[in-house]
Amino acid sequence: MTPTQLRAYSAVVRLGSVKQAAHELAVSESAVSLNIGQLRKELGDQLFSRTAAGLAFTPGGLRLASRAAEMLGLQDITVLEVSAAGRGRRMLRVGASSLFAEHGAPGLIELFASRADDLDVELSVRNPAAFETLLLTRAIDIAIGPLPTVVSEDAVLARPMMNYRLVLVAAPDHPLAGPRPTLVPSPRKPLAAPASPPLPASAGRLREQTWLLGPSAAASSEAVQALLHRLAIPEDHQQIFQSHAAALEEAKRGKGVAPAPTFAVAPDVRAGRLVQLAGPQATVEAVWHALTLAEKGAPSAASELARFASTPRAIQAMMRGTGVNVGHFKPSVHVTLWS
């Protein structure tokens, strides 16, 4: 099978139509049909058939659909790597958990890449459970996120990188946020706010809430998933969004509660757009780790990043996020989202 055949098949799967696939690829419908026919002959599988409701894929056709996307992605990555090597540049492939990729990676990668003019960084979102396999198969150079449940110490070196606290936040008028302070006259001050902190949120009350979650809720080893399991939050009370930022926006609108690292929501909490819920049930202490292959030899970009990530300067960058204008950002950063 050739990349051209896989690209044609992937377009048909994504668009659900040979005609639309041909239009997107800027080729004729007969060319797309020819590539599909060659795949069917080589694999001995019909792959899909036309029905009144659209295309119906065989089990083999569904399997090829996922593999085609992976192989085309690897081809694109290889082109980037070869091109970078030809220009005398290095490529660092970072695999990160979704929570770290969204909240910690931007500041860290920007700062680290700015230290080397010959370095290109590719960031992809990965499931922490697959970190070791991805490292051993050389699919990524370094993994950053929660420490997987099982790690082969002789094959993978895991370094604690950053401690953080996961908290629950909600809109100021949420029932669990507590009463809003009322300004009253005071003999010494024109106005004073009686500080009556909200009561700690109990596990029972938290189970009753709508939980607004990002992709990390579905990933193993993540602190978000640990919090959900600890409180036994029913699945019908969970709403998972494409990003953690989207979940927090819904929380600001009073749609429910959302978990997030304290440093990520600190600006909104200070501005009064969000309120951090009180109580030990609403917090989790967690650690992000940097994982690399435990191989001896000259320091690589992956090892350099693993060491640099635990420095005070790097931690400050992760907490503050990216702050450099895109036009002044020289090192290339390629972002790939993987399901």
Side-chain angles (χ1 to χ4, degrees):
M1 63 186 74
T2 67
T4 301
Q5 295 168 354
L6 294 175
R7 208 170 295 278
Y9 182 73
S10 183
V12 170
V13 172
R14 188 175 66 257
L15 300 172
S17 164
V18 171
K19 181 177 181 179
Q20 293 183 41
H23 178 73
E24 180 182 273
L25 299 173
V27 299
S28 65
E29 291 183 45
S30 59
V32 173
S33 297
L34 176 61
N35 285 315
I36 299 299
Q38 291 170 336
L39 284 174
R40 284 170 168 166
K41 183 177 180 181
E42 180 178 350
L43 298 174
D45 192 299
Q46 186 66 17
L47 302 181
F48 65 84
S49 60
R50 293 180 175 84
T51 67
L55 300 181
F57 291 87
T58 66
L62 293 174
R63 178 62 61 85
L64 177 62
S66 62
R67 292 300 186 196
E70 291 179 16
M71 288 188 283
L72 291 171
L74 289 174
Q75 181 193 28
D76 293 339
I77 290 172
T78 302
V79 171
L80 286 172
E81 291 177 342
V82 172
S83 176
R87 301 193 309 271
R89 301 187 63 81
R90 296 178 294 161
M91 170 67 78
L92 177 61
R93 299 165 301 173
V94 181
S97 66
S98 61
L99 192 66
F100 176 79
E102 191 166 339
H103 292 305
L108 174 64
I109 290 179
E110 180 182 79
L111 179 61
F112 181 74
S114 68
R115 301 164 73 243
D117 290 335
D118 66 335
L119 183 65
D120 290 335
V121 180
E122 177 195 78
L123 173 65
S124 58
V125 178
R126 307 288 189 147
N127 190 326
F131 278 174
E132 182 171 349
T133 299
L134 292 168
L135 288 169
L136 293 175
T137 58
R138 272 52 174 193
I140 58 175
D141 302 310
I142 181 172
I144 302 179
L147 186 66
T149 305
V150 179
V151 177
S152 301
E153 296 182 1
D154 57 338
V156 174
L157 179 61
R159 298 179 177 90
M161 194 181 77
M162 178 181 174
N163 298 321
Y164 70 97
R165 175 176 294 173
L166 191 76
V167 298
L168 278 179
V169 293
D173 57 354
H174 191 277
L176 294 184
R180 291 183 177 181
T182 303
L183 298 178
V184 298
S186 171
R188 296 184 179 181
K189 299 180 181 179
L191 291 175
S196 56
L199 295 174
S202 66
R205 293 201 67 187
L206 289 174
R207 276 192 290 271
E208 298 171 353
Q209 308 307 313
T210 297
W211 284 60
L212 310 169
L213 308 166
S216 61
S220 61
S221 304
E222 285 277 26
V224 174
Q225 193 180 76
L227 182 60
L228 293 172
H229 287 170
R230 188 181 77 188
L231 296 173
I233 305 300
E235 288 190 6
D236 59 356
H237 286 195
Q238 302 177 29
Q239 295 182 13
I240 300 180
F241 296 82
Q242 290 184 331
S243 70
H244 300 91
L248 288 173
E249 286 300 316
E250 288 298 293
K252 293 176 187 177
R253 299 187 182 99
K255 302 298 184 180
V257 301
T262 49
F263 66 85
V265 295
D268 285 321
V269 171
R270 286 194 296 267
R273 292 185 291 268
L274 289 171
V275 173
Q276 180 179 328
L277 302 188
Q281 298 288 356
T283 63
V284 172
E285 303 291 336
V287 183
W288 279 322
H289 287 73
L291 287 77
T292 56
L293 290 175
E295 294 181 347
K296 296 181 180 179
S300 65
S303 298
E304 293 171 14
L305 177 57
R307 287 192 294 269
F308 176 73
S310 61
T311 64
R313 187 182 177 197
I315 292 174
Q316 287 182 359
M318 286 184 274
M319 295 177 66
R320 292 175 181 173
T322 179
V324 176
N325 185 286
V326 176
H328 298 151
F329 184 53
K330 293 182 180 180
S332 301
V333 177
H334 309 288
V335 180
T336 307
L337 299 180
W338 297 76
S339 59

